[in-house]
Short mmCIF file of all heavy atoms in Angstrom, two decimals:
data_model
loop_
_atom_site.label_atom_id
_atom_site.label_comp_id
_atom_site.label_asym_id
_atom_site.label_seq_id
_atom_site.Cartn_x
_atom_site.Cartn_y
_atom_site.Cartn_z
N TYR B 918 -46.04 83.71 46.25
CA TYR B 918 -45.07 83.58 47.33
C TYR B 918 -45.78 83.29 48.65
O TYR B 918 -45.42 82.37 49.38
CB TYR B 918 -44.29 84.89 47.43
CG TYR B 918 -43.42 85.01 48.65
CD1 TYR B 918 -42.26 84.27 48.79
CD2 TYR B 918 -43.76 85.89 49.67
CE1 TYR B 918 -41.47 84.38 49.91
CE2 TYR B 918 -42.96 86.01 50.78
CZ TYR B 918 -41.83 85.25 50.90
OH TYR B 918 -41.04 85.37 52.02
N LYS B 922 -45.53 79.83 50.72
CA LYS B 922 -44.93 79.92 52.06
C LYS B 922 -45.88 79.35 53.10
O LYS B 922 -45.49 78.55 53.96
CB LYS B 922 -44.66 81.39 52.35
CG LYS B 922 -43.76 81.66 53.52
CD LYS B 922 -43.45 83.14 53.51
CE LYS B 922 -42.60 83.51 54.69
NZ LYS B 922 -42.39 84.95 54.74
N TYR B 926 -44.89 75.85 54.99
CA TYR B 926 -44.60 76.05 56.41
C TYR B 926 -45.54 75.22 57.27
O TYR B 926 -45.11 74.49 58.18
CB TYR B 926 -44.78 77.53 56.73
CG TYR B 926 -43.85 78.10 57.77
CD1 TYR B 926 -43.36 79.38 57.64
CD2 TYR B 926 -43.50 77.38 58.89
CE1 TYR B 926 -42.53 79.91 58.60
CE2 TYR B 926 -42.68 77.91 59.84
CZ TYR B 926 -42.20 79.18 59.70
OH TYR B 926 -41.39 79.73 60.65
N HIS B 1011 -43.90 82.42 63.03
CA HIS B 1011 -45.13 83.09 62.64
C HIS B 1011 -45.07 83.80 61.31
O HIS B 1011 -46.06 84.36 60.87
CB HIS B 1011 -45.45 84.16 63.69
CG HIS B 1011 -44.44 85.24 63.69
ND1 HIS B 1011 -43.16 85.07 64.17
CD2 HIS B 1011 -44.49 86.49 63.20
CE1 HIS B 1011 -42.50 86.19 64.00
NE2 HIS B 1011 -43.27 87.07 63.41
N THR B 1012 -43.90 83.83 60.67
CA THR B 1012 -43.76 84.78 59.56
C THR B 1012 -44.58 84.45 58.34
O THR B 1012 -44.67 85.26 57.43
CB THR B 1012 -42.30 84.89 59.13
OG1 THR B 1012 -41.79 83.58 58.96
CG2 THR B 1012 -41.50 85.63 60.16
N TYR B 1070 -43.97 90.70 71.12
CA TYR B 1070 -43.35 90.83 69.80
C TYR B 1070 -44.40 91.17 68.74
O TYR B 1070 -44.19 92.03 67.88
CB TYR B 1070 -42.65 89.51 69.47
CG TYR B 1070 -41.83 89.53 68.23
CD1 TYR B 1070 -40.53 90.00 68.24
CD2 TYR B 1070 -42.35 89.08 67.02
CE1 TYR B 1070 -39.76 90.00 67.11
CE2 TYR B 1070 -41.58 89.08 65.88
CZ TYR B 1070 -40.29 89.54 65.93
OH TYR B 1070 -39.54 89.54 64.79
N MET B 1073 -45.39 94.76 69.13
CA MET B 1073 -44.37 95.70 68.66
C MET B 1073 -44.35 95.77 67.14
O MET B 1073 -44.23 96.84 66.54
CB MET B 1073 -42.99 95.28 69.16
CG MET B 1073 -42.85 95.32 70.64
SD MET B 1073 -43.01 96.97 71.27
CE MET B 1073 -41.34 97.48 71.19
N ASN B 1074 -44.48 94.61 66.51
CA ASN B 1074 -44.49 94.62 65.05
C ASN B 1074 -45.71 95.33 64.50
O ASN B 1074 -45.64 96.01 63.48
CB ASN B 1074 -44.46 93.18 64.52
CG ASN B 1074 -43.05 92.69 64.40
OD1 ASN B 1074 -42.12 93.42 64.64
ND2 ASN B 1074 -42.88 91.44 64.04
N ALA B 1077 -45.19 98.96 64.34
CA ALA B 1077 -44.34 99.48 63.28
C ALA B 1077 -44.92 99.27 61.90
O ALA B 1077 -44.34 99.72 60.93
CB ALA B 1077 -42.97 98.81 63.35
N TYR B 1087 -50.42 91.10 62.61
CA TYR B 1087 -49.54 91.02 63.77
C TYR B 1087 -50.31 91.10 65.06
O TYR B 1087 -49.93 90.50 66.06
CB TYR B 1087 -48.48 92.13 63.72
CG TYR B 1087 -47.31 91.75 62.86
CD1 TYR B 1087 -46.98 92.46 61.72
CD2 TYR B 1087 -46.51 90.68 63.20
CE1 TYR B 1087 -45.90 92.10 60.94
CE2 TYR B 1087 -45.44 90.31 62.43
CZ TYR B 1087 -45.14 91.03 61.30
OH TYR B 1087 -44.08 90.68 60.53
N GLU B 1106 -58.99 78.85 85.18
CA GLU B 1106 -59.22 80.18 84.59
C GLU B 1106 -58.39 80.36 83.35
O GLU B 1106 -58.84 80.90 82.34
CB GLU B 1106 -58.84 81.28 85.58
CG GLU B 1106 -59.74 81.39 86.78
CD GLU B 1106 -59.39 80.38 87.82
OE1 GLU B 1106 -58.25 79.89 87.80
OE2 GLU B 1106 -60.26 80.04 88.63
N SER B 1148 -63.31 109.79 58.98
CA SER B 1148 -64.58 109.75 59.71
C SER B 1148 -65.59 110.73 59.13
O SER B 1148 -66.79 110.57 59.34
CB SER B 1148 -64.37 110.05 61.19
OG SER B 1148 -63.79 111.32 61.33
N ILE B 1159 -64.26 101.74 65.37
CA ILE B 1159 -64.08 102.00 66.80
C ILE B 1159 -64.49 100.77 67.60
O ILE B 1159 -63.78 100.33 68.52
CB ILE B 1159 -64.91 103.23 67.23
CG1 ILE B 1159 -64.47 104.45 66.45
CG2 ILE B 1159 -64.86 103.43 68.71
CD1 ILE B 1159 -63.66 105.42 67.20
N PHE B 1163 -61.58 98.73 69.61
CA PHE B 1163 -61.65 98.70 71.06
C PHE B 1163 -61.97 97.31 71.58
O PHE B 1163 -61.54 96.93 72.66
CB PHE B 1163 -62.66 99.74 71.57
CG PHE B 1163 -62.07 101.10 71.72
CD1 PHE B 1163 -62.20 102.04 70.72
CD2 PHE B 1163 -61.35 101.42 72.85
CE1 PHE B 1163 -61.62 103.29 70.85
CE2 PHE B 1163 -60.77 102.68 72.98
CZ PHE B 1163 -60.90 103.60 71.97
N LEU B 1166 -58.64 95.56 71.58
CA LEU B 1166 -57.67 95.91 72.60
C LEU B 1166 -58.13 95.57 74.00
O LEU B 1166 -57.44 95.84 74.96
CB LEU B 1166 -57.26 97.38 72.48
CG LEU B 1166 -58.21 98.52 72.69
CD1 LEU B 1166 -58.33 98.89 74.13
CD2 LEU B 1166 -57.70 99.73 71.96
N PRO B 1169 -63.56 96.49 78.31
CA PRO B 1169 -64.65 95.72 78.91
C PRO B 1169 -65.96 95.99 78.20
O PRO B 1169 -66.18 97.06 77.66
CB PRO B 1169 -64.70 96.25 80.35
CG PRO B 1169 -63.36 96.78 80.59
CD PRO B 1169 -62.84 97.28 79.31
N PHE B 1174 -62.22 91.27 76.45
CA PHE B 1174 -61.84 91.58 77.82
C PHE B 1174 -61.98 90.37 78.72
O PHE B 1174 -61.09 90.05 79.52
CB PHE B 1174 -62.70 92.73 78.34
CG PHE B 1174 -62.52 92.98 79.79
CD1 PHE B 1174 -61.36 93.55 80.27
CD2 PHE B 1174 -63.50 92.62 80.70
CE1 PHE B 1174 -61.18 93.78 81.61
CE2 PHE B 1174 -63.32 92.84 82.05
CZ PHE B 1174 -62.17 93.42 82.50
N ILE B 1178 -58.90 88.80 80.67
CA ILE B 1178 -58.82 88.85 82.12
C ILE B 1178 -58.74 87.45 82.70
O ILE B 1178 -57.97 87.19 83.65
CB ILE B 1178 -60.00 89.64 82.72
CG1 ILE B 1178 -59.70 89.98 84.15
CG2 ILE B 1178 -61.29 88.91 82.72
CD1 ILE B 1178 -59.22 91.32 84.32
N LEU B 1181 -55.20 86.20 82.13
CA LEU B 1181 -54.19 86.81 83.00
C LEU B 1181 -54.36 86.34 84.44
O LEU B 1181 -53.38 86.06 85.13
CB LEU B 1181 -54.31 88.33 82.91
CG LEU B 1181 -53.81 88.89 81.60
CD1 LEU B 1181 -54.14 90.36 81.51
CD2 LEU B 1181 -52.32 88.70 81.49
N PHE B 1185 -51.52 84.38 86.35
CA PHE B 1185 -50.97 84.95 87.57
C PHE B 1185 -51.10 83.98 88.73
O PHE B 1185 -50.17 83.84 89.54
CB PHE B 1185 -51.70 86.25 87.90
CG PHE B 1185 -51.03 87.08 88.94
CD1 PHE B 1185 -50.06 87.99 88.60
CD2 PHE B 1185 -51.37 86.92 90.27
CE1 PHE B 1185 -49.44 88.75 89.56
CE2 PHE B 1185 -50.74 87.69 91.24
CZ PHE B 1185 -49.78 88.60 90.88
N LEU B 1206 -51.63 94.66 76.73
CA LEU B 1206 -52.85 95.46 76.62
C LEU B 1206 -52.52 96.90 76.29
O LEU B 1206 -53.20 97.55 75.49
CB LEU B 1206 -53.62 95.41 77.95
CG LEU B 1206 -54.22 94.07 78.33
CD1 LEU B 1206 -54.83 94.16 79.70
CD2 LEU B 1206 -55.26 93.68 77.32
N LEU B 1207 -51.47 97.39 76.92
CA LEU B 1207 -51.09 98.78 76.66
C LEU B 1207 -50.63 98.94 75.21
O LEU B 1207 -51.01 99.88 74.51
CB LEU B 1207 -49.95 99.17 77.61
CG LEU B 1207 -49.36 100.55 77.38
CD1 LEU B 1207 -50.40 101.59 77.69
CD2 LEU B 1207 -48.14 100.75 78.24
N LEU B 1208 -49.81 97.99 74.76
CA LEU B 1208 -49.28 98.10 73.41
C LEU B 1208 -50.39 98.01 72.37
O LEU B 1208 -50.37 98.73 71.37
CB LEU B 1208 -48.25 97.00 73.16
CG LEU B 1208 -46.94 97.17 73.90
CD1 LEU B 1208 -46.09 95.94 73.76
CD2 LEU B 1208 -46.21 98.38 73.36
N ALA B 1211 -51.98 101.16 72.11
CA ALA B 1211 -51.13 102.13 71.43
C ALA B 1211 -51.28 102.02 69.92
O ALA B 1211 -51.57 103.01 69.25
CB ALA B 1211 -49.67 101.92 71.83
N LEU B 1214 -55.00 102.85 68.67
CA LEU B 1214 -55.42 104.24 68.77
C LEU B 1214 -54.62 105.12 67.84
O LEU B 1214 -55.13 106.07 67.25
CB LEU B 1214 -55.25 104.72 70.22
CG LEU B 1214 -56.31 104.14 71.13
CD1 LEU B 1214 -56.08 104.62 72.53
CD2 LEU B 1214 -57.67 104.56 70.68
N GLN B 1218 -56.18 107.48 65.00
CA GLN B 1218 -55.84 108.89 64.94
C GLN B 1218 -55.31 109.26 63.57
O GLN B 1218 -55.68 110.28 63.00
CB GLN B 1218 -54.78 109.15 65.99
CG GLN B 1218 -54.32 110.57 66.10
CD GLN B 1218 -53.13 110.63 67.02
OE1 GLN B 1218 -53.06 109.91 68.00
NE2 GLN B 1218 -52.20 111.50 66.71
N TYR B 1222 -59.14 110.66 61.98
CA TYR B 1222 -59.36 112.00 62.48
C TYR B 1222 -58.57 113.00 61.68
O TYR B 1222 -57.70 112.66 60.89
CB TYR B 1222 -58.99 112.07 63.96
CG TYR B 1222 -60.01 111.41 64.83
CD1 TYR B 1222 -59.68 110.30 65.59
CD2 TYR B 1222 -61.31 111.87 64.87
CE1 TYR B 1222 -60.63 109.69 66.38
CE2 TYR B 1222 -62.25 111.26 65.67
CZ TYR B 1222 -61.91 110.18 66.41
OH TYR B 1222 -62.84 109.57 67.19
N GLY B 1223 -58.89 114.25 61.90
CA GLY B 1223 -58.19 115.27 61.14
C GLY B 1223 -58.95 115.57 59.88
O GLY B 1223 -60.08 115.15 59.65
N ILE B 1258 -70.89 90.75 77.57
CA ILE B 1258 -71.75 91.05 78.71
C ILE B 1258 -72.28 89.78 79.37
O ILE B 1258 -72.49 89.75 80.57
CB ILE B 1258 -72.91 91.95 78.26
CG1 ILE B 1258 -72.37 93.21 77.61
CG2 ILE B 1258 -73.79 92.32 79.42
CD1 ILE B 1258 -73.44 94.16 77.20
N PRO B 1260 -70.89 86.38 79.45
CA PRO B 1260 -69.89 85.37 79.12
C PRO B 1260 -70.31 83.98 79.55
O PRO B 1260 -69.84 82.99 79.00
CB PRO B 1260 -68.66 85.82 79.90
CG PRO B 1260 -69.20 86.62 81.01
CD PRO B 1260 -70.43 87.27 80.53
N GLN B 1261 -71.20 83.89 80.53
CA GLN B 1261 -71.50 82.57 81.07
C GLN B 1261 -72.16 81.68 80.04
O GLN B 1261 -72.11 80.46 80.16
CB GLN B 1261 -72.38 82.72 82.31
CG GLN B 1261 -72.24 81.58 83.29
CD GLN B 1261 -70.82 81.36 83.71
OE1 GLN B 1261 -70.04 82.30 83.87
NE2 GLN B 1261 -70.44 80.11 83.89
N LEU B 1264 -69.19 80.10 78.74
CA LEU B 1264 -68.34 79.53 79.78
C LEU B 1264 -68.97 78.30 80.41
O LEU B 1264 -68.26 77.44 80.93
CB LEU B 1264 -68.05 80.57 80.86
CG LEU B 1264 -66.96 81.56 80.51
CD1 LEU B 1264 -66.80 82.59 81.59
CD2 LEU B 1264 -65.64 80.84 80.31
N ASN B 1268 -66.27 75.46 80.83
CA ASN B 1268 -65.80 75.14 82.18
C ASN B 1268 -65.56 73.67 82.45
O ASN B 1268 -64.48 73.31 82.95
CB ASN B 1268 -66.79 75.67 83.20
CG ASN B 1268 -66.20 76.82 83.95
OD1 ASN B 1268 -65.00 76.87 84.13
ND2 ASN B 1268 -67.03 77.73 84.37
N GLU B 1272 -61.88 72.18 83.49
CA GLU B 1272 -61.61 71.44 84.72
C GLU B 1272 -61.05 70.06 84.41
O GLU B 1272 -60.13 69.58 85.08
CB GLU B 1272 -62.90 71.30 85.53
CG GLU B 1272 -63.34 72.58 86.17
CD GLU B 1272 -64.68 72.44 86.84
OE1 GLU B 1272 -65.29 71.36 86.73
OE2 GLU B 1272 -65.11 73.42 87.46
N TRP C 98 -71.71 86.32 87.73
CA TRP C 98 -71.50 86.73 86.35
C TRP C 98 -70.62 85.75 85.61
O TRP C 98 -71.01 85.19 84.61
CB TRP C 98 -70.86 88.13 86.37
CG TRP C 98 -70.66 88.76 85.06
CD1 TRP C 98 -71.50 88.73 83.99
CD2 TRP C 98 -69.55 89.55 84.66
NE1 TRP C 98 -70.99 89.46 82.97
CE2 TRP C 98 -69.79 89.97 83.35
CE3 TRP C 98 -68.37 89.97 85.30
CZ2 TRP C 98 -68.91 90.78 82.65
CZ3 TRP C 98 -67.49 90.78 84.60
CH2 TRP C 98 -67.75 91.16 83.29
N ILE C 99 -69.43 85.52 86.14
CA ILE C 99 -68.51 84.59 85.50
C ILE C 99 -68.21 83.49 86.51
O ILE C 99 -67.83 83.76 87.65
CB ILE C 99 -67.19 85.27 85.13
CG1 ILE C 99 -67.44 86.43 84.22
CG2 ILE C 99 -66.26 84.28 84.46
CD1 ILE C 99 -66.15 87.14 83.84
N LYS C 100 -68.38 82.27 86.05
CA LYS C 100 -68.07 81.14 86.93
C LYS C 100 -66.97 80.33 86.30
O LYS C 100 -67.13 79.83 85.20
CB LYS C 100 -69.31 80.24 87.05
CG LYS C 100 -70.07 80.41 88.33
CD LYS C 100 -71.04 79.28 88.51
CE LYS C 100 -72.07 79.26 87.40
NZ LYS C 100 -73.42 79.22 87.89
N THR C 101 -65.85 80.23 86.96
CA THR C 101 -64.82 79.34 86.44
C THR C 101 -64.34 78.48 87.58
O THR C 101 -63.95 78.98 88.61
CB THR C 101 -63.60 80.10 85.91
OG1 THR C 101 -63.05 80.84 86.99
CG2 THR C 101 -63.97 81.01 84.80
N GLY C 102 -64.38 77.20 87.35
CA GLY C 102 -63.87 76.31 88.38
C GLY C 102 -64.56 76.57 89.70
O GLY C 102 -65.77 76.55 89.81
N HIS C 104 -64.29 79.42 91.32
CA HIS C 104 -64.39 80.84 91.60
C HIS C 104 -65.56 81.46 90.88
O HIS C 104 -65.88 81.09 89.77
CB HIS C 104 -63.10 81.55 91.15
CG HIS C 104 -61.92 81.10 91.92
ND1 HIS C 104 -60.92 80.32 91.38
CD2 HIS C 104 -61.57 81.29 93.19
CE1 HIS C 104 -60.02 80.07 92.29
NE2 HIS C 104 -60.39 80.65 93.41
N CYS C 172 -63.97 97.18 84.96
CA CYS C 172 -64.65 97.28 83.67
C CYS C 172 -65.17 98.68 83.44
O CYS C 172 -64.93 99.29 82.39
CB CYS C 172 -65.84 96.32 83.62
SG CYS C 172 -65.39 94.61 83.51
N GLU C 175 -62.46 101.30 82.80
CA GLU C 175 -62.00 101.40 81.41
C GLU C 175 -63.07 102.02 80.51
O GLU C 175 -62.75 102.76 79.58
CB GLU C 175 -61.66 100.00 80.88
CG GLU C 175 -60.45 99.40 81.53
CD GLU C 175 -59.46 98.87 80.50
OE1 GLU C 175 -59.57 99.20 79.32
OE2 GLU C 175 -58.58 98.13 80.91
N LEU C 176 -64.34 101.71 80.79
CA LEU C 176 -65.38 102.27 79.94
C LEU C 176 -65.44 103.78 80.10
O LEU C 176 -65.72 104.50 79.13
CB LEU C 176 -66.74 101.65 80.30
CG LEU C 176 -66.92 100.25 79.74
CD1 LEU C 176 -68.25 99.69 80.18
CD2 LEU C 176 -66.85 100.26 78.23
N PHE C 179 -62.97 105.08 77.90
CA PHE C 179 -63.42 105.02 76.51
C PHE C 179 -64.33 106.19 76.19
O PHE C 179 -64.19 106.84 75.14
CB PHE C 179 -64.15 103.69 76.29
CG PHE C 179 -64.82 103.56 74.98
CD1 PHE C 179 -64.08 103.56 73.81
CD2 PHE C 179 -66.18 103.42 74.88
CE1 PHE C 179 -64.69 103.43 72.57
CE2 PHE C 179 -66.81 103.29 73.66
CZ PHE C 179 -66.06 103.29 72.51
N TYR C 182 -62.34 109.19 75.79
CA TYR C 182 -61.67 109.20 74.50
C TYR C 182 -62.60 109.73 73.42
O TYR C 182 -62.23 110.60 72.61
CB TYR C 182 -61.23 107.78 74.16
CG TYR C 182 -60.68 107.60 72.78
CD1 TYR C 182 -59.36 107.93 72.49
CD2 TYR C 182 -61.47 107.12 71.74
CE1 TYR C 182 -58.85 107.78 71.22
CE2 TYR C 182 -60.96 106.98 70.48
CZ TYR C 182 -59.66 107.30 70.22
OH TYR C 182 -59.16 107.15 68.95
N ARG C 183 -63.82 109.22 73.41
CA ARG C 183 -64.73 109.64 72.36
C ARG C 183 -65.10 111.10 72.48
O ARG C 183 -65.30 111.79 71.49
CB ARG C 183 -66.02 108.78 72.43
CG ARG C 183 -65.79 107.37 72.01
CD ARG C 183 -65.48 107.27 70.56
NE ARG C 183 -66.68 107.14 69.78
CZ ARG C 183 -66.77 107.44 68.48
NH1 ARG C 183 -65.73 107.92 67.86
NH2 ARG C 183 -67.88 107.26 67.84
N SER C 186 -62.14 113.50 71.52
CA SER C 186 -61.91 113.57 70.09
C SER C 186 -63.19 113.96 69.36
O SER C 186 -63.35 113.65 68.19
CB SER C 186 -61.42 112.22 69.58
OG SER C 186 -62.37 111.22 69.87
N ARG C 189 -64.02 116.20 65.19
CA ARG C 189 -63.33 115.20 64.36
C ARG C 189 -62.25 115.77 63.49
O ARG C 189 -61.28 115.08 63.19
CB ARG C 189 -64.35 114.52 63.46
CG ARG C 189 -64.85 113.23 64.02
CD ARG C 189 -65.68 112.56 62.99
NE ARG C 189 -67.08 112.73 63.30
CZ ARG C 189 -68.01 112.84 62.37
NH1 ARG C 189 -67.69 112.84 61.13
NH2 ARG C 189 -69.25 112.97 62.71
N ALA C 195 -57.64 114.54 68.34
CA ALA C 195 -57.50 113.08 68.29
C ALA C 195 -56.25 112.63 69.01
O ALA C 195 -56.25 111.64 69.75
CB ALA C 195 -57.47 112.62 66.84
N SER C 196 -55.15 113.36 68.81
CA SER C 196 -53.93 112.91 69.48
C SER C 196 -54.03 113.12 70.98
O SER C 196 -53.50 112.34 71.76
CB SER C 196 -52.70 113.60 68.91
OG SER C 196 -52.82 114.99 69.03
N THR C 199 -55.95 110.16 72.19
CA THR C 199 -55.09 108.97 72.24
C THR C 199 -54.18 109.02 73.45
O THR C 199 -54.00 108.04 74.16
CB THR C 199 -54.25 108.90 70.97
OG1 THR C 199 -55.10 109.01 69.85
CG2 THR C 199 -53.48 107.62 70.90
N PHE C 202 -56.08 108.26 76.62
CA PHE C 202 -56.43 106.85 76.77
C PHE C 202 -55.21 106.02 77.10
O PHE C 202 -55.25 105.12 77.93
CB PHE C 202 -57.10 106.35 75.49
CG PHE C 202 -57.76 105.03 75.66
CD1 PHE C 202 -59.05 104.94 76.16
CD2 PHE C 202 -57.12 103.85 75.33
CE1 PHE C 202 -59.66 103.71 76.32
CE2 PHE C 202 -57.71 102.63 75.49
CZ PHE C 202 -59.00 102.56 75.99
N LEU C 203 -54.10 106.32 76.42
CA LEU C 203 -52.91 105.51 76.64
C LEU C 203 -52.37 105.70 78.05
O LEU C 203 -51.98 104.74 78.72
CB LEU C 203 -51.84 105.84 75.62
CG LEU C 203 -52.10 105.24 74.25
CD1 LEU C 203 -51.00 105.62 73.31
CD2 LEU C 203 -52.21 103.75 74.33
N ARG C 206 -54.40 103.87 80.27
CA ARG C 206 -54.13 102.44 80.14
C ARG C 206 -52.91 102.02 80.94
O ARG C 206 -52.88 100.91 81.48
CB ARG C 206 -53.88 102.07 78.69
CG ARG C 206 -55.05 101.43 78.00
CD ARG C 206 -55.04 100.00 77.96
NE ARG C 206 -56.38 99.47 77.93
CZ ARG C 206 -56.72 98.38 77.29
NH1 ARG C 206 -55.82 97.75 76.61
NH2 ARG C 206 -57.94 97.94 77.34
N MET C 210 -53.10 99.14 83.63
CA MET C 210 -52.26 97.95 83.76
C MET C 210 -51.92 97.71 85.22
O MET C 210 -51.97 96.59 85.72
CB MET C 210 -50.95 98.14 82.98
CG MET C 210 -51.02 97.72 81.55
SD MET C 210 -49.57 98.23 80.67
CE MET C 210 -48.27 97.66 81.74
N LEU C 213 -54.83 96.40 87.01
CA LEU C 213 -55.06 94.99 86.71
C LEU C 213 -54.11 94.10 87.50
O LEU C 213 -54.51 93.07 88.07
CB LEU C 213 -54.87 94.77 85.22
CG LEU C 213 -55.45 93.49 84.64
CD1 LEU C 213 -56.91 93.43 84.93
CD2 LEU C 213 -55.22 93.49 83.14
N MET C 217 -54.96 91.27 90.18
CA MET C 217 -54.49 89.89 90.12
C MET C 217 -53.87 89.47 91.44
O MET C 217 -54.09 88.35 91.92
CB MET C 217 -53.48 89.74 88.98
CG MET C 217 -54.08 89.94 87.61
SD MET C 217 -53.09 89.25 86.28
CE MET C 217 -51.79 90.43 86.17
N SER C 221 -55.40 86.45 93.64
CA SER C 221 -54.70 85.20 93.91
C SER C 221 -54.40 85.05 95.39
O SER C 221 -54.23 83.94 95.88
CB SER C 221 -53.42 85.10 93.09
OG SER C 221 -52.59 86.19 93.37
N PHE C 581 -39.62 103.09 72.00
CA PHE C 581 -40.62 102.10 71.59
C PHE C 581 -40.73 102.00 70.10
O PHE C 581 -40.80 100.92 69.54
CB PHE C 581 -41.99 102.47 72.18
CG PHE C 581 -42.34 101.62 73.34
CD1 PHE C 581 -42.06 102.06 74.62
CD2 PHE C 581 -42.94 100.39 73.17
CE1 PHE C 581 -42.36 101.26 75.70
CE2 PHE C 581 -43.25 99.60 74.25
CZ PHE C 581 -42.95 100.04 75.52
N ILE C 584 -37.71 100.26 68.86
CA ILE C 584 -37.74 98.81 69.10
C ILE C 584 -38.73 98.14 68.18
O ILE C 584 -38.47 97.06 67.64
CB ILE C 584 -38.11 98.51 70.56
CG1 ILE C 584 -37.04 99.03 71.49
CG2 ILE C 584 -38.27 97.02 70.77
CD1 ILE C 584 -37.36 98.82 72.93
N SER C 585 -39.90 98.79 67.99
CA SER C 585 -40.88 98.13 67.14
C SER C 585 -40.41 98.09 65.70
O SER C 585 -40.64 97.12 64.99
CB SER C 585 -42.24 98.81 67.26
OG SER C 585 -42.17 100.11 66.78
N THR C 588 -38.04 95.24 65.64
CA THR C 588 -38.63 93.91 65.60
C THR C 588 -39.23 93.63 64.25
O THR C 588 -39.21 92.48 63.78
CB THR C 588 -39.72 93.75 66.68
OG1 THR C 588 -40.65 94.81 66.55
CG2 THR C 588 -39.14 93.74 68.05
N LEU C 589 -39.79 94.67 63.62
CA LEU C 589 -40.35 94.44 62.29
C LEU C 589 -39.25 94.05 61.31
O LEU C 589 -39.40 93.14 60.50
CB LEU C 589 -41.09 95.69 61.81
CG LEU C 589 -41.96 95.44 60.59
CD1 LEU C 589 -43.08 94.51 60.96
CD2 LEU C 589 -42.49 96.74 60.05
N ASP C 592 -38.24 90.62 61.89
CA ASP C 592 -39.15 89.71 61.22
C ASP C 592 -38.82 89.59 59.75
O ASP C 592 -38.69 88.52 59.20
CB ASP C 592 -40.58 90.27 61.35
CG ASP C 592 -41.49 89.24 61.90
OD1 ASP C 592 -41.02 88.41 62.71
OD2 ASP C 592 -42.65 89.25 61.54
N ILE C 596 -35.74 86.65 60.49
CA ILE C 596 -36.55 85.43 60.54
C ILE C 596 -36.91 84.98 59.13
O ILE C 596 -36.75 83.80 58.77
CB ILE C 596 -37.83 85.68 61.36
CG1 ILE C 596 -37.45 86.01 62.78
CG2 ILE C 596 -38.70 84.45 61.33
CD1 ILE C 596 -38.61 86.12 63.71
N ASP C 597 -37.38 85.93 58.35
CA ASP C 597 -37.75 85.54 57.00
C ASP C 597 -36.53 85.11 56.20
O ASP C 597 -36.61 84.20 55.38
CB ASP C 597 -38.47 86.69 56.28
CG ASP C 597 -39.96 86.47 56.27
OD1 ASP C 597 -40.39 85.43 56.77
OD2 ASP C 597 -40.67 87.33 55.75
N ILE C 600 -35.89 81.65 56.97
CA ILE C 600 -36.79 80.75 56.27
C ILE C 600 -36.42 80.65 54.80
O ILE C 600 -36.42 79.57 54.20
CB ILE C 600 -38.24 81.23 56.41
CG1 ILE C 600 -38.60 81.14 57.88
CG2 ILE C 600 -39.17 80.41 55.58
CD1 ILE C 600 -39.94 81.65 58.16
N HIS C 601 -36.11 81.82 54.21
CA HIS C 601 -35.71 81.79 52.81
C HIS C 601 -34.44 80.97 52.65
O HIS C 601 -34.29 80.24 51.66
CB HIS C 601 -35.47 83.20 52.29
CG HIS C 601 -36.72 83.97 52.15
ND1 HIS C 601 -36.76 85.29 51.83
CD2 HIS C 601 -38.00 83.60 52.29
CE1 HIS C 601 -38.00 85.71 51.78
NE2 HIS C 601 -38.77 84.70 52.06
#
Side-chain angles (χ1 to χ4, degrees):
Chain B
Y918 170 72
K922 194 172 177 185
Y926 214 143
H1011 66 288
T1012 48
Y1070 187 84
M1073 296 296 270
N1074 274 356
Y1087 277 117
E1106 292 80 22
S1148 59
I1159 300 255
F1163 275 96
L1166 64 86
F1174 171 72
I1178 195 99
L1181 288 171
F1185 193 87
L1206 292 175
L1207 175 66
L1208 289 171
L1214 287 179
Q1218 182 189 323
Y1222 286 117
I1258 303 183
Q1261 207 55 37
L1264 280 177
N1268 250 330
E1272 287 174 356
Chain C
W98 185 39
I99 302 179
K100 258 194 297 232
T101 60
H104 296 109
C172 289
E175 292 230 14
L176 282 178
F179 172 63
Y182 172 82
R183 289 293 271 158
S186 59
R189 264 188 257 147
S196 58
T199 308
F202 193 84
L203 284 180
R206 259 264 151 146
M210 272 170 50
L213 197 57
M217 293 199 285
S221 57
F581 256 94
I584 295 178
S585 64
T588 53
L589 193 66
D592 233 32
I596 297 186
D597 259 358
I600 295 176
H601 290 173

